[in-house]
């Protein structure tokens, strides 16, 4: 006979396993990806590895003085935007909302991170370390 406490532990563990499987299944396998991203590290800093060769940037966002400049940018479908990090503090580019979920850079203190937009729309983002830093990319 299973004691009530042991049974509740089994139930909680079972729920945790199911939740972990659901979370793991939510992130991959989307063949309709909206964009691709590329990380080009500065030679002297970050530990993240590049995800591939990037095409030249069609637009650049400077990340310095605790802001994204320009904060609002309009590009065309297929354009690559490169964020150039040159601030004293590390930052990220993190998409806000479902449409911008592909915007997800590593933490970067110096160097570049690029993202190619393949569908039209408005993509809002922020720095996950400094949420007051926000930007918007409009893709036509």
């Amino acid at each position: 006979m299973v004691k009530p406490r042991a049974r509740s532990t089994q139930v909680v563990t079972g729920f945790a396993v199911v939740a972990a499987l659901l979370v793991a299944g939510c992130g991959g396998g989307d063949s309709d990806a909206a964009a691709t991203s590329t990380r080009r590290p500065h030679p002297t800093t970050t530990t993240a590895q590049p995800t591939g060769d990037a095409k030249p940037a069609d637009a650049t966002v400077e990340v310095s003085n605790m802001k994204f400049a320009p904060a609002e940018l309009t590009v065309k479908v297929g354009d690559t935007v490169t964020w150039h990090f040159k601030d004293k503090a590390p930052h990220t580019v993190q998409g806000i909302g479902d449409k911008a979920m592909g915007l997800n850079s590593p933490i970067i203190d110096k160097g570049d991170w690029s993202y190619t937009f393949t569908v039209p729309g408005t993509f809002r983002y922020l720095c996950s370390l400094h949420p007051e830093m926000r930007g918007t990319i409009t893709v036509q």
Side-chain angles (χ1 to χ4, degrees):
M1 172 175 248
V2 176
K3 295 181 182 180
R5 184 177 178 130
R7 181 68 178 150
S8 64
T9 301
Q10 290 173 342
V11 170
V12 170
T13 303
F15 279 119
V17 169
V18 170
L21 291 171
L22 288 172
V23 169
C26 290
D30 186 4
S31 62
D32 245 358
T36 58
S37 65
T38 303
R39 165 83 171 85
R40 294 185 314 224
H42 188 273
T44 60
T45 54
T46 66
T47 58
Q49 296 298 314
T51 57
D53 293 328
K55 75 174 202 163
D58 296 300
T60 300
V61 175
E62 298 290 331
V63 184
S64 64
N65 298 318
M66 299 298 287
K67 65 181 180 179
F68 295 110
E72 296 183 13
L73 183 63
T74 300
V75 298
K76 295 178 181 159
V77 170
D79 282 355
T80 298
V81 175
T82 296
W83 283 262
H84 181 65
F85 295 83
K86 57 180 187 177
D87 208 345
K88 293 179 181 179
H91 299 289
T92 67
V93 176
Q94 178 67 56
I96 301 171
D98 291 343
K99 187 166 190 101
M101 290 311 289
L103 289 169
N104 190 17
S105 77
I107 296 172
I108 302 173
D109 56 353
K110 299 281 188 247
D112 295 331
W113 182 76
S114 297
Y115 189 86
T116 301
F117 291 87
T118 60
V119 296
T122 300
F123 298 81
R124 297 179 310 125
Y125 63 93
L126 56 75
C127 171
S128 62
L129 303 174
H130 309 100
E132 68 280 1
M133 293 176 58
R134 293 176 177 259
T136 303
I137 306 291
T138 302
V139 182
Q140 298 176 338

